[in-house]
Amino acid sequence: MSQSNPPSQVCLVTGASRGIGNAIALELARRGYTVIGTGTSTAGAERVTSQLKAAGAQGRGAVLDITDPEQSESVITEVAGEFGPISVLINNAGVTEDNLLMRMKPSQWEKTLTTNLASVFVVTKLCLKGMTKARYGRIINLSSVVGATGNAGQTNYAASKAGLIGFTKSLALEIASRGITVNAVAPGFIDTDMTSELAEGQRGRLLEAIPLARLGQPEDIAKAVAFLVSDDASYITGQVLHVNGGMYMSS
């Protein structure tokens, strides 16, 4: 895998203060990108800044509520003024509001779809101007295995992640002529704060459904994202890369 990415490339990673987003931000920083990693709190953004400094990388953390279009525009404009136009966008930030549909509140549906899907429209559109002008860009959307398989109790989450796949393929068709690739990475069950809260029985049943018999690590996803961002993947667009230990095998 090539790691000779131009250090001038500016990468925005949303939801970078923990879990998968944090691993992606640090992996891209290690490969020479200038990384801006967002978090919803000042503490989260400061943690990203400290991590990047400790790694000797360029970039910083930034406070961003991706459901706020005005704040998104302000942050992206600020980043472009400080570091240059964003050439790599990783739409990672997301939430879960799990419930059976019969019990699901409208607020749970709306929050999940707004955060996981509508915000991607806003942030991506804001970054596209610089990419189209440069005739270069990489956009990676973090979907999920449940966007392909479905999952009881997650109609809102699965809908948002399936929607990201449709968004990815359609946008890839629209902007391929501009030298911009758009792909999705669909993680399976990854060892993060969310899965660490599972009861032992639930965790055991989950592992039984994974042929590799282990949860993935955030770094597994980060390396898949880094590949799609790299020049090695310059002829790949409109694709969904499933990283799930074999629990779902797409055709």
Side-chain angles (χ1 to χ4, degrees), residues 21-119:
N22 189 249
I24 292 170
L26 296 178
E27 180 66 23
L28 292 176
R30 186 178 71 80
R31 295 179 184 231
Y33 291 90
T34 296
V35 175
I36 309 302
T38 75
T40 56
S41 68
T42 300
E46 289 177 346
R47 184 164 57 253
V48 173
T49 298
S50 297
Q51 289 174 318
L52 292 173
K53 282 186 177 180
Q58 297 294 315
R60 62 174 175 82
V63 178
L64 175 61
D65 174 1
I66 59 170
T67 66
D68 184 336
E70 290 184 2
Q71 189 181 22
S72 295
E73 183 173 12
S74 177
V75 168
I76 289 169
T77 300
E78 185 179 291
V79 168
E82 184 176 352
F83 298 101
I86 293 165
S87 56
V88 177
L89 171 62
I90 314 299
N91 286 309
N92 166 76
V95 297
T96 56
E97 289 280 338
D98 297 350
N99 212 338
L100 296 174
L101 186 65
M102 289 291 289
R103 299 174 183 170
M104 187 175 291
K105 299 176 182 177
S107 61
Q108 291 179 302
W109 175 270
E110 290 163 8
K111 180 179 179 180
T112 303
L113 271 291
T114 298
T115 305
N116 297 359
L117 187 57
S119 67

Side-chain angles (χ1 to χ4, degrees), residues 4 24 32 56 59 75 88 137-138 183 195-196 219 235-236 241 251:
S4 58
I24 292 170
V75 168
V88 177
R138 297 282 188 269
N183 292 289
T195 53
S196 68
E219 291 74 19
Y235 200 56
I236 299 173
L241 178 55
S251 58

